[in-house]
Amino acid sequence: MTELFSPEWMQAYAQQWNTEPELTEALGKIHFSSVIGYGFEDESEPRGVISIVNGQVTYAGTYNSQKLNWDLRADSHHWQQWLTNGLNMMGVSMAYMTRKLQFRVGDYLAMIKDPRMAGPFIKSFTVMSRV
């Protein structure tokens, strides 16, 4: 298995993302463009990053001080748990409230209240599990 958030893992994640219409089409409709970092809660910077333009991942790889719109962190145990079991809306809310899933950058509450973004956010965890 490729190391979580390594450049190879991020590129495989991007390939899966770009083949998932519930992400690409849904986010394309709202012209969603963002830079999202992923990493571990005990590290100062994210390990991996994806750049999204109108719903499509255009870059995936190592974090190199890019300006982030979102920075998602958790410990390795919880990342693995979510990759294995998935994550639904209630699970995301509980993970956020208990700080198992941290948003170092980004407005979780605004995102989760917008169904145009909340659905794709949940779907992104399903896509992660395919890597």
Side-chain angles (χ1 to χ4, degrees):
M1 180 176 171
T2 305
E3 182 182 0
L4 188 61
F5 309 131
S6 69
E8 298 80 17
W9 192 94
M10 295 304 296
Q11 289 163 8
Y13 178 44
Q15 289 175 340
Q16 291 296 320
W17 179 295
N18 285 339
T19 61
E20 178 54 63
E22 289 183 52
L23 289 173
T24 58
E25 292 175 15
L27 293 173
K29 286 179 185 175
I30 62 170
H31 306 289
F32 180 83
S33 297
S34 222
V35 179
I36 305 172
Y38 298 90
F40 300 105
E41 66 182 3
D42 61 345
E43 296 177 350
S44 62
E45 296 182 334
R47 288 197 180 187
V49 65
I50 58 174
S51 294
I52 302 162
V53 176
N54 290 322
Q56 292 278 330
V57 176
T58 59
Y59 170 80
T62 303
Y63 174 72
N64 289 311
S65 301
Q66 296 96 325
K67 182 176 179 345
L68 299 173
N69 302 101
W70 301 92
D71 183 357
L72 307 177
R73 305 296 186 89
D75 65 28
S76 60
H77 168 77
H78 287 104
W79 280 121
Q80 289 300 328
Q81 181 181 346
W82 299 328
L83 293 178
T84 302
N85 301 325
L87 200 55
N88 59 23
M89 189 65 76
M90 181 170 286
V92 165
S93 295
M94 289 302 296
Y96 174 76
M97 289 189 310
T98 59
R99 301 215 16 97
K100 292 176 183 169
L101 177 61
Q102 300 171 20
F103 287 71
R104 301 259 174 103
V105 177
D107 187 347
Y108 168 79
L109 294 175
M111 180 271 301
I112 211 71
K113 290 178 184 177
D114 183 346
R116 301 171 307 160
M117 290 180 62
F121 178 72
I122 299 298
K123 188 66 173 184
S124 73
F125 282 89
T126 302
V127 171
M128 278 184 188
S129 71
R130 298 179 194 158
V131 176

